[in-house]
Amino acid sequence: MSNYKHGLAFRYIQGTKYHRDQPLKDDLGSIPVVGAFKRYPESERLPLPKPDLNRPANLWQCLANRRSERSTTSDLLSLNELATLLWAAQGVSARAGIHLLRTAPSAGALYPFETYIYVDHVEDISKGFYHFDVEAFALERLKEGEFSKEMTAACLSQPAVRRAAVVFIWTAMMLRCMVKYRNRAVRYIPMDLGHVCQNVQLASTAMGLGSCPIGAFFDDDINRLLEIDGEDETVLYLITVGKL
Ligand SMILES: Cc1cc2nc3c(=O)[nH]c(=O)nc-3n(C[C@H](O)[C@H](O)[C@H](O)COP(=O)(O)O)c2cc1C
């Protein structure tokens, strides 16, 4: 007898449906409010160059040509290309009251995720992990060094990760979204990140770079590399980028 309807996936979707005249109920109690931006005040900051938004690109051609590319080369990505990819991911494009609106939509304008990168071969930036400061359009250096082996092992030994010039890593900031949407937040966070990742992939296509979204990884290995708790903040999605 099949049991799938009693599994977590079905119970989650059924338990987080909106129904007319029936408010979503839960037993979560009060949820702590967390900041809209994570900050690393002790880290060295690297301002990013302004992205070149006048690069020619045709949206329809980018949509037609977008592909997941796993065989990128050891050629260096330029700092400007990296800055452009970060801007595509989470560039601030408008303000609405307290909200800094970005290049990708987000349920309730909460942006319940953080962007980190593992830099392997990018011009003018040493190898290591960085956190992206959306507000300041800057990087915060978390740790310097070669972690390609650890990143690849954490991603089930996928060669795309070993070859990448840079790996974008997105974590879910659970409470930032749960404060408003409670358990339903877990529907929205991956949707938000799907938009962000698609922006990076289309921007990669527009610049002639190769990229591959990565959903297969040992969560806690990546969480440990980022030194995050794996609960309130936990890794959700990655994308590799490099030259073709
Ligand atoms: C949520 C998600 C997770 C994915 N995870 C991986 C992955 O771990 N490794 C991989 O090689 N490709 C991964 N991919 C890429 C898909 O395999 C790819 O999008 C699919 O084969 C269609 O090919 P295309 O993107 O070139 O159109 C993932 C894609 C998505 C959307």
Side-chain angles (χ1 to χ4, degrees):
M1 194 191 76
S2 171
N3 232 359
Y4 68 94
K5 287 202 170 165
H6 304 295
L8 209 52
F10 268 62
R11 280 189 285 128
Y12 176 75
I13 293 293
Q14 297 312 315
T16 55
K17 279 183 175 172
Y18 281 164
H19 299 285
R20 284 179 205 285
D21 310 322
Q22 192 187 318
L24 252 188
K25 278 200 302 262
D26 64 52
D27 53 5
L28 299 178
S30 73
I31 294 175
V33 174
V34 296
F37 299 98
K38 198 172 175 197
R39 297 188 196 283
Y40 289 89
E42 309 299 317
S43 297
E44 187 193 341
R45 300 176 66 73
L46 288 82
L48 287 161
K50 265 203 162 62
D52 178 5
L53 303 185
N54 292 314
R55 284 170 193 275
N58 176 314
L59 176 62
W60 312 111
Q61 290 301 313
C62 290
L63 288 169
N65 294 332
R66 182 212 61 80
R67 201 84 289 141
S68 296
E69 303 280 358
R70 298 167 183 85
S71 296
T72 54
T73 67
S74 56
D75 293 351
L76 298 185
L77 215 69
S78 75
L79 187 55
N80 204 282
E81 285 166 328
L82 176 63
T84 306
L85 293 169
L86 285 162
W87 189 85
Q90 275 299 273
V92 174
S93 48
R95 280 172 191 265
I98 58 163
H99 300 292
L100 298 182
L101 303 180
R102 326 277 166 88
T103 47
S106 170
L110 294 171
Y111 311 97
F113 49 84
E114 292 292 326
T115 304
Y116 299 84
I117 53 174
Y118 170 62
V119 169
D120 193 79
H121 42 284
V122 179
E123 237 167 49
D124 303 325
I125 306 200
S126 47
K127 291 180 190 250
F129 288 95
Y130 298 80
H131 172 253
F132 176 47
D133 179 336
V134 170
E135 214 175 0
F137 198 64
L139 291 173
E140 294 162 313
R141 197 194 311 275
L142 302 184
K143 49 185 177 192
E144 220 166 355
E146 159 87 57
F147 292 95
S148 180
K149 259 197 197 132
E150 288 84 346
M151 280 296 292
T152 306
C155 296
L156 282 58
S157 302
Q158 299 189 58
V161 178
R162 177 172 44 78
R163 297 183 187 126
V166 61
V167 184
F168 285 67
I169 309 166
W170 289 289
T171 61
M173 296 293 286
M174 301 293 290
L175 306 185
R176 214 182 269 165
C177 198
M178 286 180 72
V179 127
K180 179 166 184 186
Y181 296 113
R182 316 288 290 187
N183 280 326
R184 202 170 156 96
V186 177
R187 290 173 176 239
Y188 296 154
I189 303 174
M191 292 180 195
D192 281 9
L193 282 180
H195 297 300
V196 175
C197 189
Q198 173 81 342
N199 280 4
V200 173
Q201 197 165 42
L202 287 174
S204 300
T205 305
M207 292 190 283
L209 305 172
S211 67
C212 183
I214 302 285
F217 45 79
F218 297 115
D219 304 59
D220 286 338
D221 288 7
I222 306 268
N223 289 334
R224 256 191 302 278
L225 285 165
L226 295 177
E227 300 180 23
I228 57 174
D229 72 358
E231 290 187 342
D232 290 358
E233 180 178 14
T234 190
V235 63
L236 218 59
Y237 205 13
L238 282 69
I239 190 169
T240 60
V241 186
K243 296 257 190 192
L244 288 170

